[in-house]
């Protein structure tokens, strides 16, 4: 009887740990760049988390404006194109401040979208 109660307790603990991990992975899901819209002078990147739009990145010839609020991930900022570098690391688009090499944002992004953003930023520097 004691072995059966230990097995049941172990099963309950395992189930609880699994549920906690599933909850945390859903709650802390990382935002990503879902779409790029480009016109003659601007690029608009759409940020989503859990398939819901939660932010934007606007690139003009002079500046980059970042606004997003996705769960615990919050960011609002503006930088000039000249003070910004664009990088791609581990499947993430990184917007980097030139002055201190600080990564302002790092968001999941397809390589093709990154390449369009990189080309735009380098052309407008």
């Amino acid at each position: 009887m004691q072995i059966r109660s230990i097995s049941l307790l172990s099963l309950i603990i395992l189930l609880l740990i699994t549920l906690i991990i599933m909850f945390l992975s859903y709650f802390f899901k990382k935002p990503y760049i879902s779409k790029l819209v480009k016109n003659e002078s601007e690029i608009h990147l759409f940020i989503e988390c859990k398939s819901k739009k939660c932010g934007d990145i606007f690139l003009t010839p002079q500046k980059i404006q970042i606004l997003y609020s996705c769960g615990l991930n919050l960011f609002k900022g503006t930088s000039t194109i000249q003070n910004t570098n664009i990088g791609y690391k581990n499947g993430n688009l990184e917007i980097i401040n030139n002055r201190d090499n600080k990564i302002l944002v790092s968001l999941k992004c397809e390589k093709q979208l990154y390449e369009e953003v990189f080309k735009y930023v380098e052309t407008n520097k």
Side-chain angles (χ1 to χ4, degrees), residues 18-55:
T18 303
L19 289 173
I20 290 169
I21 290 170
M22 287 174 57
F23 173 77
L24 291 176
S25 66
Y26 177 78
F27 187 69
F28 292 106
K29 197 160 191 152
K30 192 170 180 186
Y32 60 93
I33 297 172
S34 62
K35 182 168 74 169
L36 179 149
V37 175
K38 185 177 180 181
N39 65 29
E40 297 150 8
S41 62
E42 298 179 342
I43 287 182
H44 179 189
L45 301 171
F46 293 80
I47 302 170
E48 290 187 8
C49 187
K50 301 179 211 161
S51 300
K52 293 181 183 177
K53 185 175 180 292
C54 61

Side-chain angles (χ1 to χ4, degrees), residues 4 31 49-50 54 56 66 68 70 74 76 83 98 123:
R4 185 178 262 173
C49 187
K50 301 179 211 161
C54 61
D56 304 280
I66 306 160
Y68 75 88
C70 306
L74 307 168
K76 179 180 178 181
N83 289 334
N98 281 347
T123 301

Side-chain angles (χ1 to χ4, degrees), residues 88 93 110-120:
Y88 193 74
L93 174 121
E110 293 178 12
K111 181 87 172 182
Q112 179 186 3
L113 295 179
Y114 156 75
E115 289 169 352
E116 285 192 56
V117 171
F118 179 80
K119 182 179 172 184
Y120 180 88

Side-chain angles (χ1 to χ4, degrees), residues 5-18:
S5 64
I6 291 174
S7 297
L8 183 59
L9 182 62
S10 298
L11 183 61
I12 291 171
I13 291 172
L14 181 63
L15 182 61
L16 285 173
I17 290 171
T18 303

